[in-house]
């Protein structure tokens, strides 16, 4: 083996993101002139609000273009603390109880990398966001995948949680609203999980709340540290501006949690990326402290799109789609297609076969459910205009109707 081929053993065993692999395939197809409707990327299709963009321009013009503190600008951290106090009733949070990172993904990775050792275990309910197990893999720890079926709304039950906990359990990751299913844990469901966790003080809780502002049907959002204050000292509550404010490319995530954990995350970040972009931080401050009309308006748009997609997908032969409660994803059951053959002769023996055939034959990009830990499904991101969504669903319906045994 050459020197160039000698990789870190944990990185060598990790897999690339299935979402980005599909995005790469879409780019390759488009380069040949194909007209692809991509339902694979998890980002809003709206422009970042004007006042947020203006704040970034003002930051550039007034010279806020230098390094910031590793944990973030105090001005932004104070706005983050106010967000946690006001929206999540975490009344104890001050600016010193927060950290700003280069996107929500870095928040998650910093927390895991700062605390995990080989042989530690992390409980991950499936379906899960594709990066959770790979982040755990990069630390040398082990993911304990707990399958949460459609029958139970794709949500972890207290019984499943208790069975999964061992003396080696270091973390449990909770994501509500969920990527990829749109499942939302109610206050009562979180309290039931909290009752289990209170019995195991060695387990830390990572609450990924990045889709907090995308809940539908007037359902209230709760985070576990809010529901059970006795868990505050071992819960990292993560959020960011990417989904709520259409700021995916600005790369700002943030969190609150126990001081010892935040200090460790800051230490790691200081040797890794230092602080997040100063300009993006000023923009994030404007997003959090300014008008929230954009958040409410886009939530209403996504809820209408949800209703449209669920109807169209459930009118498609061989598919079934449970109604998502939040986020902007539909997790579509394609068990009816497994074992069939596409119009161009492609055997559909797995959900990955279905996803690839939809791209090749219907010019629609989705991501297979097996990448999220549960098959046979595929994930659709309905972050496109209505006309494009209708066109995509019509193409998916024609594809399904054309399959044979």
């Amino acid at each position: 083996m050459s020197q160039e081929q000698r990789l870190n053993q944990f990185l060598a065993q990790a897999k690339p993101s299935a979402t980005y692999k599909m995005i790469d395939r879409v780019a390759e197809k488009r380069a040949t002139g194909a007209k692809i409707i991509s339902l694979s990327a998890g980002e809003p299709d709206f422009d970042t609000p004007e006042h947020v963009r203006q704040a970034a321009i003002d930051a550039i013009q007034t010279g806020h273009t230098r390094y910031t503190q590793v944990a973030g600008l105090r001005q932004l951290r104070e706005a983050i603390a106010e967000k946690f106090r006001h929206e999540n009733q975490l009344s104890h949070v001050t600016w010193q109880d927060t950290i700003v990172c280069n996107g929500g993904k870095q928040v998650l990775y910093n927390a895991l990398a700062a605390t995990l050792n080989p042989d530690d275990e992390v409980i991950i309910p499936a379906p899960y966001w594709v990066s959770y197990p790979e982040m755990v893999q990069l630390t040398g720890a082990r993911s304990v995948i707990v399958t949460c079926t459609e029958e139970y709304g794709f949500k972890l039950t207290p019984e499943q949680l208790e069975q999964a906990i061992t003396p080696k359990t270091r973390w449990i990751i909770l994501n509500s609203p969920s990527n990829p299913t749109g499942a939302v844990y109610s206050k009562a469901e979180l309290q039931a999980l909290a009752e289990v966790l209170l019995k195991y003080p060695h387990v830390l809780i990572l609450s990924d709340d990045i889709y907090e502002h995308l809940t539908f049907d007037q359902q209230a959002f709760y985070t576990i540290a809010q529901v059970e204050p006795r868990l505050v000292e071992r819960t990292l509550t993560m959020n960011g501006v990417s989904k709520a404010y259409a700021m995916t490319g600005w790369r700002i995530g943030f969190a609150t949690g126990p001081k010892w954990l935040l200090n460790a995350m800051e230490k790691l970040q200081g040797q890794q990326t230092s602080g997040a972009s100063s300009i993006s931080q000023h923009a994030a401050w404007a997003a959090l402290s300014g008008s929230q009309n954009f958040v409410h308006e886009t939530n209403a748009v996504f809820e209408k799109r949800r209703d449209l997609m669920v109807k169209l997908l459930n009118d498609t032969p061989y598919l079934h789609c449970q109604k998502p409660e939040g986020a902007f994803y539909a997790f579509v059951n394609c068990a009816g297609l497994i074992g069939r053959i596409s119009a161009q002769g492609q055997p559909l023996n797995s959900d990955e076969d279905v996803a690839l055939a939809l791209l090749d034959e219907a010019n629609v990009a989705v991501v297979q459910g097996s990448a999220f830990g549960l098959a046979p499904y595929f994930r659709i991101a309905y972050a496109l205009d209505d006309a494009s969504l209708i066109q995509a669903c019509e193409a998916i319906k024609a594809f399904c109707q054309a399959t044979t045994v």
Side-chain angles (χ1 to χ4, degrees):
M1 181 181 295
S2 69
Q3 284 293 110
E4 291 79 7
Q5 291 175 310
R6 294 181 62 191
L7 298 177
N8 172 279
Q9 63 173 315
F10 303 129
L11 175 62
Q13 295 172 35
K15 294 178 290 190
S17 166
T19 306
Y20 281 104
K21 283 180 68 176
M22 182 56 73
I23 291 171
D24 288 343
R25 288 193 180 101
V26 170
E28 291 171 5
K29 297 275 285 185
R30 285 175 172 165
T32 68
K35 304 295 185 184
I36 307 297
I37 301 176
S38 180
L39 306 177
S40 56
E43 63 178 349
D45 57 314
F46 304 103
D47 289 333
T48 302
E50 195 279 332
H51 73 280
V52 176
R53 287 178 276 150
Q54 188 60 50
I57 294 169
D58 292 344
I60 294 170
Q61 293 179 335
T62 54
H64 294 299
T65 56
R66 301 183 182 278
Y67 293 132
T68 71
Q69 301 93 321
V70 170
L73 288 167
R74 176 167 177 171
Q75 173 184 349
L76 174 56
R77 294 172 70 189
E78 286 179 340
I80 290 166
E82 173 59 23
K83 174 260 181 293
F84 282 125
R85 290 192 300 265
H86 174 69
E87 293 187 342
N88 307 116
Q89 288 74 59
L90 300 178
S91 58
H92 66 284
V93 178
T94 70
W95 71 271
Q96 294 168 308
D97 301 306
T98 65
I99 188 170
V100 179
C101 300
N102 293 273
K105 184 176 282 190
Q106 191 183 33
V107 175
L108 300 169
Y109 182 76
N110 282 356
L112 297 172
T115 55
L116 289 173
N117 291 295
D119 296 329
D120 284 343
E121 295 177 352
V122 178
I123 296 172
I124 303 177
Y128 46 70
W129 179 47
V130 294
S131 291
Y132 294 149
E134 306 312 319
M135 289 182 182
V136 173
Q137 167 62 36
L138 289 171
T139 70
R142 187 173 78 88
S143 297
V144 176
I145 307 300
V146 181
T147 300
C148 304
T149 63
E150 188 172 347
E151 178 187 2
Y152 294 99
F154 301 113
K155 289 184 269 193
L156 182 71
T157 67
E159 294 76 18
Q160 287 178 306
L161 173 58
E162 186 132 34
Q163 290 172 6
I165 294 173
T166 75
K168 293 183 178 182
T169 304
R170 185 67 168 149
W171 285 96
I172 175 175
I173 300 178
L174 295 174
N175 176 213
S176 173
S178 161
N179 175 6
T181 66
V184 177
Y185 286 89
S186 68
K187 182 179 182 180
E189 288 167 335
L190 288 174
Q191 186 63 60
L193 295 176
E195 294 298 330
V196 175
L197 290 165
L198 286 169
K199 297 189 286 185
Y200 300 95
H202 67 289
V203 180
L204 300 169
I205 303 104
L206 206 169
S207 185
D208 180 350
D209 299 350
I210 198 71
Y211 296 96
E212 170 183 357
H213 292 294
L214 286 167
T215 57
F216 306 139
D217 307 313
Q218 299 183 321
Q219 181 171 356
F221 171 83
Y222 293 93
T223 192
I224 195 165
Q226 167 190 5
V227 170
E228 181 45 80
R230 288 176 290 177
L231 293 176
V232 163
E233 286 306 312
R234 50 191 174 105
T235 300
L236 184 75
T237 305
M238 188 281 285
N239 215 308
V241 296
S242 61
K243 313 299 182 179
Y245 302 96
M247 294 177 67
T248 51
W250 299 77
R251 309 312 304 136
I252 296 292
F254 53 79
T256 187
K259 283 280 184 59
W260 67 266
L261 176 58
L262 297 177
N263 289 342
M265 292 168 64
E266 181 179 356
K267 180 180 178 181
L268 175 61
Q269 185 163 300
Q271 300 299 341
Q272 181 191 56
T273 62
S274 298
S277 161
S278 59
I279 297 157
S280 293
Q281 289 190 62
H282 281 277
W285 173 82
L288 292 173
S289 61
S291 169
Q292 301 300 299
N293 289 342
F294 176 87
V295 175
H296 304 306
E297 291 165 1
T298 54
N299 179 284
V301 172
F302 278 124
E303 184 167 349
K304 289 179 180 177
R305 290 178 180 176
R306 185 274 311 262
D307 294 341
L308 172 67
M309 293 300 287
V310 169
K311 181 182 186 305
L312 292 174
L313 290 166
N314 283 328
D315 285 343
T316 300
Y318 313 116
L319 300 182
H320 168 71
C321 179
Q322 193 172 89
K323 193 175 187 179
E325 300 167 298
F328 41 70
Y329 304 108
F331 203 58
V332 184
N333 187 324
C334 61
L337 287 174
I338 304 303
R340 298 183 69 81
I341 299 172
S342 75
Q344 294 184 18
Q346 173 64 45
L348 304 176
N349 295 323
S350 68
D351 55 10
E352 184 172 11
D353 289 341
V354 171
L356 293 175
L358 281 171
L359 179 61
D360 291 338
E361 301 181 29
N363 287 336
V364 176
V366 302
V367 184
Q368 66 270 20
S370 51
F372 303 94
L374 189 65
Y377 291 83
F378 58 83
R379 189 197 75 173
I380 279 177
Y382 48 87
L384 289 176
D385 61 274
D386 287 4
S388 296
L389 294 175
I390 292 169
Q391 184 180 349
C393 286
E394 288 174 347
I396 291 171
K397 186 172 185 177
F399 170 88
C400 291
Q401 289 174 328
T403 62
T404 56
V405 178

